[in-house]
Amino acid sequence: MYKCRKYKLQRIAVTIAAILWIVTAVRSFMERSIYAVNNTGSDIVSIFSENVDNNVQSDISVDTELSDNYLSEQAMCLILEKMASEIGINRYNIQYSGNNSYENVYNNRYISRECVLTQDSLYGTVVMGIKATDEDKNYISIHIKLGKGVTSTTAYKAKLEKICNIYGIDSNVNVCITGQCDGDKSIEERNQITGNILSQLGAKEAEASRTKDLYTIYAYDKDTDGYMYIGKKKTNINISMNYDETTDKTNIYLATPINRGTINKIADYQTTTFIEIIGLY
């Protein structure tokens, strides 16, 4: 009787240990990948999604100066790895290129250097890079592109804002949400979509250009963080549209604080140079 009871207790203990191991492993994997985060309440992504037909994606980004001192290959990689940890990923690849010699840099034999970290997952893609463009300047580019994980846009924006605070990066975190509507929308239809979005956001129009070739609206929402100036007017909401004849769809962009124009080229690093990614040249 005693041996039987002891055997049962051992089996229970083994089962519990196995369950705990599985739970820990799953939690660890989820914490280190780009994944969908359930957001409560209405946010900019849900408002945008209500006004387009399909293919909603987002790109959360920071492109700015990082520092004005020499960074070695090891320093560049370490900074990117620490930033990746803050985002919550660890299955990334890092590529470094350029001559890392300190002497070369300060003896007029400067060779451009860059370090790029990438990770793909089911829900999104991360591309981060540091580029030294001259003897004293280092630039940082961080882009998180979300497809299936688009509902997590606000959560990942907060992660990038935290990174900016940690590293003293004085820059707005830019968010660009894209979607499509079927057909070539008229100016009146575009105005209706824009009006709906601005009304739901509680934003007021600041500047606008309403033509088929250049349809872009700048607005300001006091509840949205960050802003830029268009002329003398504050703006932190940018809605733009264009028609794609090849797909017979109207592309719609909602950005905060502004649509950088080339933002959707970021995901495919293999066919995009770092200069295109960083968007500074």
Side-chain angles (χ1 to χ4, degrees), residues 229-274:
Y229 279 97
I230 301 295
K232 295 183 179 180
K233 296 180 180 179
K234 286 183 180 180
T235 178
N236 55 13
I237 300 292
N238 182 199
I239 300 173
S240 55
M241 303 185 198
N242 60 57
Y243 175 64
D244 187 344
E245 294 181 354
T246 61
T247 60
D248 189 29
K249 293 183 183 295
T250 298
N251 299 315
I252 303 175
Y253 308 87
L254 171 59
T256 63
I258 197 167
N259 183 356
R260 292 194 175 103
T262 58
I263 201 165
N264 294 310
K265 297 179 181 179
I266 301 302
D268 189 2
Y269 174 73
Q270 292 182 340
T271 59
T272 307
T273 67
F274 189 92

Side-chain angles (χ1 to χ4, degrees), residues 83-100:
M83 289 181 174
S85 179
E86 290 293 336
I87 292 173
I89 58 174
N90 68 354
R91 296 182 295 105
Y92 46 75
N93 294 313
I94 293 184
Q95 294 180 342
Y96 177 85
S97 62
N99 192 318
N100 196 49

Side-chain angles (χ1 to χ4, degrees), residues 67-124:
S67 65
D68 58 359
N69 60 298
Y70 176 82
L71 292 178
S72 66
E73 174 184 354
Q74 291 76 15
M76 286 183 174
C77 292
L78 181 60
I79 291 171
L80 292 181
E81 287 171 352
K82 287 184 176 294
M83 289 181 174
S85 179
E86 290 293 336
I87 292 173
I89 58 174
N90 68 354
R91 296 182 295 105
Y92 46 75
N93 294 313
I94 293 184
Q95 294 180 342
Y96 177 85
S97 62
N99 192 318
N100 196 49
S101 169
Y102 183 91
E103 289 74 18
N104 277 350
V105 172
Y106 287 98
N107 283 289
N108 297 321
R109 296 195 300 273
Y110 184 78
I111 299 175
S112 179
R113 301 174 301 112
E114 63 189 41
C115 188
V116 178
L117 179 152
T118 60
Q119 178 167 319
D120 293 322
S121 77
L122 178 64
Y123 289 96

Side-chain angles (χ1 to χ4, degrees), residues 6 14 33 50 72 120 139 147 210 213-214 226 233 268 275 278:
K6 183 178 180 180
V14 170
S33 302
E50 291 172 7
S72 66
D120 293 322
Y139 293 94
R210 289 183 169 88
D213 293 332
L214 181 62
K233 296 180 180 179
D268 189 2
I275 290 178
I278 204 166

